[in-house]
Amino acid sequence: MLASEQNTEPKTAPAGRDPVLSLVELRTSFDTFDGTVRAVDRVSYDIAPREMLGLVGESGCGKSLTALSIMGLVPTPPGRVEGSIRLNGRELVGLEEKEMRKLRGSEISMIFQEPMTSLDPVMRIGKQIVEPLVQHQGLSGPEARARAKDMLDRVRIPEATRRLDEYAHQLSGGMRQRIMIAMALVCRPAVLIADEPTTALDVTIQAQVLRLIRDLQTEMNTSVLLITHDLGVIAESVDRVIVMYAGRKVEEAPVSLLFRRPQHPYTVGLLGSVPKVNRAGRPAKGRLLEIPGIVPALNQPIRGCRFAPRCRLATDRCRAEEPPFETKAPGHSAACWHSDKAMEIAGE
Amino acid sequence: MAVHEIVEDDAAPRQGQSRRGIWRQLRRHTTVVVGAAILSLIVLLTLIGPWLAVHDPLTIDPLNRMAAPSAQHIFGTDAFGRDLFSRTIHGGRISLTVGLVVGVAASVIGLGLGLISGYSRIADAILMRVMDGLMSIPTILLAIALMAVTRASVYTVIFAITIVELPRVVRLVRSVVLTIREQAFIEAATISGTRFWKVLIRHILPNTVAPMTVQATYICAAAILIESLLSFLGAGTPPEIPSWGNIMAEGRSYFQLAPWIILIPGTVLAVTVLAINLMGDGLRDMLDPRLANQV
Amino acid sequence: MTIYIIRRLLATIPVLLIVAVVVFSILYLAPGDPAAIIAGDQATVSQVEDIRRNLGLDRPFHEQFLNWLGDIVRGDFGQSIFSNRPVIDLFLQRLEPTLALALTTTIITILLAVPLGVVAAWKAGSWIDRLVMSFAVVGFSFPVFVIGYILIYVFSITLGLLPVQGYRSLEDGFLPFISHLILPSLALAMSFMALVARITRASVLEVLAQDHIRTARSKGLTTGKLLFSHALPNAAVPIVTIIGVGIAILLGGVVVTESVFAIPGVGRLVVDAILARDYPIIQGVLLIFSGVYVALNLLLDILYTFLDPRIQY
Ligand SMILES: Nc1ncnc2c1ncn2[C@@H]1O[C@H](COP(=O)(O)OP(=O)(O)OP(=O)(O)O)[C@@H](O)[C@H]1O
Ligand code: SF4
Ligand SMILES: [Mg+2]
């Protein structure tokens, strides 16, 4: 289709810095009995060194799958990952599992949404933190343990030495998420992917954990891909934002521009569904789903703009042709035929 | 392998679900179908055997002792020259009968005891202790002991095996009764008299049928195995009756000369038990997928 | 913890008591008159009566039971009717081969079945998985003596690699010892392995779907570490439970296996006792085996606390 041609996407990463991680036309699909489900559809973006990039979108839009694709953790088959993922210039798509394994946990790490279940319940905390060191750096014994303790100090866990010998069930949710962060960063990876790291936590704890991620990012020179439902979290933490809808990237902008002048009706809708002041409490899960209408099935070819069935600005053109992803303002791009009118639907 | 939890969204069309469902059903059915097919074949053989087998299972032929399998005697002959094919078919009737009767008896008695246990706390306390005790005695040893003190006959074999298999059924029924009791629609305190019977017929029996069918199948297989073990040890069916265990027991002394006396009936026995177990597995998956990982 | 162990220990007492009642009643109800058997064919009626009185066989059931139980508690399991020797002596005399057989079988089972189950779970749906699971169903369907004879036929008679039957003590050297034990242990292990492999596969499969496995993968661990330091330890409790259940199969199977392989162990003692209707021996072995079974399962119960730190007593 024409779409791919039109999608020569402008690079929006801050100029002059080579990206640490670079996705070009990433597609992640699943072969199912009902045809191929394109869960991530030709998504491109870069993450610059020491940048914190936000990835937002409704449930099911492909955020986690993007992350898992980068990690090489999409089960294949039935999954299929195509396109290009470059980590410091090195191609990850099609990389042998053995090579990929060497990068996981050392060059690129991930933390997950569910701190309650993401730690091994029957292995001591210390051993779990040490594992990547043993695997990737060949450390062992007291040396590895010292590194683990140092990491616990960094994630501000009191009485670190004692905690090393405890089990996950002895810790609170916030502590477990800190442990996850410690474990992910222990080898000083170039990129940290945080998939909704605070969704399962209390509001006060959320803020602490976010601050911790931000502080460690600076401290350890790591780039972070922060995946979230929560535009409040985005507003507070990230430098730049990618908005995804039904497997596609629909908008990309520095955070301030995105909030001030969203160029895509979907983003406008997302922003509209967030309470004005985030301090009062994060939007409840599922709040973003309040934009009425149906998400298109991902197992069929989609004609035109995939947001059209839910878009109040949709015209015949929208339903016939997929809008190109193009620069609307410096550093700000979106895929919408009527982006100039996008703000009109805000506040309605 | 399941790295990412695969969530089936509402978006996933219905049609595909059912197509996948049929696939799954078919695969489950294959186990049952294969098991049932083999078993039917064996049952059929034992039923029409007397017309098929040209030889009498009890006729001794001193000139043809320990003949290797041949066109004349496809399973060979035993130490007395008796035709092993006829004997195996005949033995099948005994083994299958034992399996079937034990399966039914253990289920029925177990259902009764399990219900009593779920109904009365005092009875439960006593029954469960007794069942714990019975389960603490290794199955085969208990069966041997029971056989040692009774006169060997097909009936005592059935009795002994039923006793050793009973605790499993009682526990199963009891656990179903207890879960149902705990569910909202029955207040434990108000269970009494007529109400109990209503609950029993409307809720407890339907909920026990599926797991008990599966259990009965497994018990049937286990009973056939235990019968053969008992007979093999000389503590089972009286030796003059050619049950599978007895045929093999008689072959022990001649194993080096005539291994087929043990190996052929042994394989037939194993295939039978295998067929029943396959049916059990298939039934379990079909009737209650949640049970799939248990037992 | 100590309190828990004591509580569990106490809880086994009623179970063992029931076992004792069951075992005693079975043999109490046995037809035939033990006094007459002991007295022999030539005895007069009064001689038989004397023996009956001496043995306390004329007392009521509960008195006989309590006497018998008292003796058992003191370690006196009665005397063999035929050899007149204490049952416990006969038992201990036959213990070594049985112990050797049971131990090798358990070791074989754990070393083979657990890894097989883990690999089957990892490769769920593959041909390896199907092979392992088919083996599990088949292994569970063959009676132990048929497996025994098949093994003898293949390895001893046809290939001539291993001895057909018999037992050598470890004192005769390790090679003769183990070469006599391999086939019986394998035969006995078959159904045990089927059971353990099946449960291992099911529980590891369940663990593999858990979130922390994804975490472990995201750390770049090798498959081996993933399976054996994360998946398997998390699946340990059900596996250990099934091993406990399997011990019953083992203890029963010993009787049959020893009989097939002519191993002069406790199992043979029992079989000979059955044929001779030597009830005290049957009673004694039944009690001891049940006691061992209960004790081992108690041990495994305590082991759970070490396997899963979340289990607290
Ligand atoms: N194995 C699979 N087979 C088919 N479809 C899949 C599979 N795994 C994921 N999907 C589909 O991919 C889509 C994207 O899933 P993903 O987990 O990336 O969403 P998400 O944006 O992270 O949502 P959430 O906010 O709920 O975490 C979903 O619609 C899902 O149905
Ligand atoms: S392209 Fe049209 S339908 Fe799509 S978001 Fe823009 S206005 Fe709405
Ligand atoms: Mg997600």
Side-chain angles (χ1 to χ4, degrees):
Chain A
M1 290 226 317
L2 273 173
S4 60
E5 241 170 82
Q6 290 166 336
N7 269 293
T8 13
E9 300 179 357
K11 294 275 176 205
T12 40
R17 285 195 276 166
D18 280 340
V20 180
L21 187 73
S22 168
L23 312 190
V24 182
E25 300 271 301
L26 175 71
R27 298 159 177 248
T28 304
S29 44
F30 290 93
D31 295 323
T32 69
F33 287 93
D34 315 309
T36 304
V37 175
R38 289 183 234 296
V40 178
D41 196 3
R42 292 161 291 153
V43 167
S44 310
Y45 56 83
D46 290 346
I47 303 180
R50 288 181 294 284
E51 186 187 20
M52 194 172 221
L53 179 67
L55 185 57
V56 282
E58 296 173 334
S59 189
C61 71
K63 304 183 299 291
S64 296
L65 274 179
T66 311
L68 291 170
S69 306
I70 298 170
M71 294 296 291
L73 289 179
V74 174
T76 49
R80 191 152 22 98
V81 179
E82 292 153 310
S84 164
I85 302 171
R86 283 177 178 276
L87 178 68
N88 283 322
R90 183 169 182 193
E91 181 58 56
L92 302 187
V93 175
L95 197 63
E96 257 184 73
E97 168 62 16
K98 213 174 123 213
E99 291 302 310
M100 193 62 223
R101 193 186 291 144
K102 286 184 193 156
L103 301 178
R104 268 184 230 132
S106 66
E107 290 291 307
I108 186 161
S109 292
M110 184 160 173
I111 56 180
F112 302 91
Q113 178 177 341
E114 308 82 6
M116 304 314 274
T117 52
S118 290
L119 288 167
D120 187 331
V122 308
M123 185 185 273
R124 287 179 204 279
I125 298 298
K127 177 129 194 272
Q128 293 189 57
I129 300 179
V130 160
E131 264 184 334
L133 289 173
V134 176
Q135 183 76 46
H136 300 295
Q137 303 185 354
L139 294 189
S140 61
E143 199 181 351
R145 197 176 155 90
R147 284 275 293 274
K149 185 195 168 284
D150 173 56
M151 271 322 291
L152 285 196
D153 290 336
R154 281 172 190 260
V155 296
R156 296 168 208 152
I157 286 188
E159 299 180 82
T161 317
R162 182 166 64 88
R163 295 293 182 195
L164 286 177
D165 292 320
E166 288 191 346
Y167 292 96
H169 71 276
Q170 293 165 293
L171 308 172
S172 67
M175 287 249 238
R176 289 187 212 186
Q177 200 57 298
R178 285 161 197 266
I179 302 280
M180 285 294 293
I181 295 169
M183 211 158 71
L185 293 180
V186 72
C187 288
R188 294 180 165 267
V191 178
L192 171 70
I193 302 174
D195 191 355
E196 313 206 20
T198 59
T199 312
L201 302 175
D202 288 345
V203 186
T204 43
I205 310 288
Q206 274 189 21
Q208 288 176 11
V209 169
L210 278 176
R211 203 171 316 123
L212 179 69
I213 294 179
R214 240 174 10 224
D215 291 352
L216 286 172
Q217 175 194 19
T218 333
E219 214 175 300
M220 305 184 87
N221 285 326
T222 305
S223 303
V224 175
L225 176 62
L226 182 70
I227 298 175
T228 179
H229 274 109
D230 188 337
L231 281 163
V233 166
I234 292 286
E236 277 176 50
S237 323
V238 308
D239 307 315
R240 223 153 41 87
V241 188
I242 309 275
V243 182
M244 275 182 81
Y245 180 73
R248 285 290 270 151
K249 178 172 82 167
V250 294
E251 184 158 9
E252 176 169 356
V255 70
S256 53
L257 273 180
L258 188 89
F259 277 83
R260 222 176 313 133
R261 184 147 264 295
Q263 299 279 357
H264 197 285
Y266 175 61
T267 315
V268 176
L270 288 183
L271 288 168
S273 65
V274 182
K276 278 262 154 40
V277 187
N278 179 259
R279 312 274 176 239
R282 68 201 164 96
K285 241 189 162 186
R287 192 70 187 261
L288 302 182
L289 291 170
E290 277 172 21
I291 310 171
I294 37 159
V295 184
L298 298 176
N299 58 351
Q300 278 133 26
I302 298 164
R303 220 168 103 89
C305 173
R306 55 190 66 201
F307 189 58
R310 298 168 75 186
C311 183
R312 305 249 292 282
L313 299 176
T315 58
D316 286 345
R317 187 185 193 189
C318 301
R319 283 180 279 268
E321 280 176 72
E322 185 175 5
F325 191 84
E326 53 191 14
T327 309
K328 307 286 181 182
H332 193 160
S333 325
C336 175
W337 292 119
H338 307 299
S339 56
D340 46 330
K341 295 198 211 111
M343 286 293 282
E344 287 174 17
I345 58 169
E348 280 176 19
Chain B
M1 289 270 276
V3 173
H4 183 70
E5 200 179 325
I6 296 163
V7 193
E8 294 200 40
D9 274 14
D10 294 6
R14 281 289 122 105
Q15 182 209 357
Q17 286 236 325
S18 63
R19 210 186 304 166
R20 222 170 305 166
I22 291 167
W23 251 108
R24 242 178 251 152
Q25 284 292 343
L26 209 71
R27 280 191 50 189
R28 270 177 207 159
H29 279 311
T30 43
T31 345
V32 182
V33 167
V34 169
I38 301 175
L39 191 65
S40 322
L41 191 75
I42 291 167
V43 170
L44 197 72
L45 267 179
T46 60
L47 287 182
I48 62 166
W51 289 276
L52 259 191
V54 277
H55 305 277
D56 181 85
L58 301 175
T59 304
I60 294 172
D61 180 1
L63 296 178
N64 234 339
R65 301 175 65 227
M66 288 188 264
S70 64
Q72 246 250 302
H73 301 280
I74 56 170
F75 284 5
T77 63
D78 71 1
F80 299 98
R82 293 175 295 199
D83 179 56
L84 270 176
F85 182 68
S86 312
R87 285 179 75 72
T88 305
I89 281 178
H90 199 87
R93 295 178 153 196
I94 293 144
S95 297
L96 288 170
T97 308
V98 169
L100 191 69
V101 175
V102 171
V104 172
S107 301
V108 171
I109 302 171
L111 180 67
L113 291 178
L115 287 177
I116 294 173
S117 185
Y119 182 66
S120 140
R121 281 183 203 287
I122 302 169
D124 184 47
I126 298 170
L127 267 171
M128 280 306 115
R129 290 294 86 69
V130 174
M131 292 303 140
D132 281 350
L134 282 181
M135 283 178 95
S136 304
I137 307 175
T139 318
I140 297 173
L141 281 177
L142 180 57
I144 287 175
L146 286 169
M147 288 308 297
V149 298
T150 48
R151 270 231 326 279
S153 76
V154 177
Y155 301 107
T156 51
V157 169
I158 289 173
F159 166 76
I161 304 176
T162 303
I163 298 269
V164 301
E165 293 293 329
L166 203 53
R168 285 201 271 167
V169 189
V170 177
R171 288 187 154 217
L172 179 78
V173 176
R174 173 180 180 263
S175 76
V176 174
V177 176
L178 290 188
T179 20
I180 289 173
R181 254 182 115 143
E182 268 165 30
Q183 280 165 13
F185 56 84
I186 306 167
E187 289 123 48
T190 63
I191 285 203
S192 61
T194 48
R195 188 135 154 65
F196 174 79
W197 290 107
K198 249 190 218 159
V199 169
L200 174 74
I201 290 165
R202 223 178 278 152
H203 301 290
I204 295 178
L205 285 185
N207 276 296
T208 35
V209 167
M212 273 200 17
T213 312
V214 176
Q215 185 78 282
T217 317
Y218 289 139
I219 288 179
C220 180
I224 294 177
L225 273 180
I226 297 175
E227 188 280 330
S228 77
L229 289 174
L230 290 176
S231 301
F232 180 78
L233 292 174
T237 314
E240 63 275 10
I241 301 175
S243 80
W244 285 338
N246 278 335
I247 300 174
M248 292 185 269
E250 282 167 13
R252 292 178 65 177
S253 327
Y254 316 103
F255 184 67
Q256 305 224 20
L257 295 171
W260 55 86
I261 304 180
I262 288 181
L263 297 185
I264 293 179
T267 309
V268 173
L269 165 74
V271 170
T272 308
V273 173
L274 179 68
I276 301 175
N277 277 334
L278 282 181
M279 277 180 59
D281 286 357
L283 281 176
R284 181 195 56 195
D285 293 349
M286 270 168 57
L287 294 175
D288 187 359
R290 279 167 305 156
L291 280 172
N293 284 341
Q294 295 170 19
V295 187
Chain C
M1 183 70 194
T2 334
I3 293 175
Y4 169 74
I5 294 175
I6 292 171
R7 269 224 323 271
R8 278 296 274 109
L9 261 174
L10 290 178
T12 58
I13 292 177
V15 175
L16 288 175
L17 253 173
I18 298 286
V19 172
V21 173
V22 170
V23 170
F24 184 80
S25 344
I26 290 173
L27 297 151
Y28 179 84
L29 299 174
D33 182 352
I37 297 174
I38 294 169
D41 294 340
Q42 314 295 322
T44 63
V45 175
S46 69
Q47 277 172 317
V48 173
E49 278 310 312
D50 283 345
I51 291 171
R52 198 191 310 284
R53 209 171 310 114
N54 286 341
L55 292 176
L57 294 175
D58 52 345
R59 305 273 169 73
F61 175 86
H62 64 274
E63 239 177 82
Q64 282 192 46
F65 174 69
L66 289 177
N67 277 338
W68 176 79
L69 193 66
D71 289 345
I72 302 274
V73 172
R74 268 176 264 120
D76 176 6
F77 285 79
Q79 300 198 333
S80 156
I81 293 176
F82 286 91
S83 68
N84 259 331
R85 298 184 47 204
V87 170
I88 193 75
D89 288 358
L90 292 170
F91 179 85
L92 290 175
Q93 215 173 47
R94 303 290 198 97
L95 188 57
E96 186 205 294
T98 304
L99 214 56
L101 177 62
L103 278 178
T104 25
T105 304
T106 311
I107 293 170
I108 289 179
T109 300
I110 294 173
L111 286 187
L112 287 180
V114 172
L116 278 180
V118 172
V119 170
W122 174 243
K123 295 276 175 200
S126 71
W127 64 269
I128 300 182
D129 179 30
R130 296 222 180 102
L131 199 73
V132 172
M133 284 306 102
S134 312
F135 157 79
V137 185
V138 173
F140 217 72
S141 303
F142 272 84
V144 60
F145 63 90
V146 175
I147 299 175
Y149 279 113
I150 292 175
L151 290 176
I152 292 178
Y153 184 70
V154 175
F155 291 99
S156 308
I157 298 179
T158 311
L159 298 175
L161 290 175
L162 291 162
V164 176
Q165 284 181 324
Y167 173 78
R168 292 281 176 284
S169 166
L170 195 51
E171 289 157 21
D172 301 341
F174 183 72
L175 212 63
F177 169 76
I178 204 70
S179 66
H180 280 83
L181 268 181
I182 286 179
L183 293 186
S185 304
L186 267 181
L188 186 50
M190 211 58 83
S191 51
F192 200 1
M193 274 172 24
L195 193 65
V196 174
R198 200 168 164 153
I199 297 295
T200 304
R201 176 188 179 274
S203 24
V204 169
L205 202 56
E206 212 177 300
V207 172
L208 283 176
Q210 288 169 5
D211 286 339
H212 62 87
I213 292 295
R214 188 182 53 189
T215 307
R217 298 237 306 160
S218 78
K219 292 198 276 190
L221 299 183
T222 56
T223 307
K225 274 200 188 146
L226 191 74
L227 291 178
F228 291 95
S229 11
H230 289 280
L232 187 57
N234 274 280
V237 169
I239 296 174
V240 166
T241 308
I242 208 68
I243 289 176
V245 172
I247 289 171
I249 299 180
L250 187 76
L251 291 174
V254 157
V255 179
V256 187
T257 313
E258 289 185 354
S259 190
V260 172
F261 289 91
I263 295 170
V266 178
R268 278 291 296 280
L269 184 67
V270 176
V271 173
D272 294 345
I274 296 167
L275 302 178
R277 311 232 151 191
D278 199 339
Y279 298 135
I281 292 183
I282 303 178
Q283 265 177 337
V285 174
L286 214 57
L287 269 183
I288 295 172
F289 273 23
S290 307
V292 168
Y293 179 57
V294 171
L296 283 176
N297 274 286
L298 174 64
L299 266 179
L300 293 182
D301 251 19
I302 295 168
L303 190 64
Y304 290 164
T305 18
F306 297 98
L307 294 175
D308 189 339
R310 285 167 300 181
I311 298 178
Q312 227 114 53
Y313 298 114

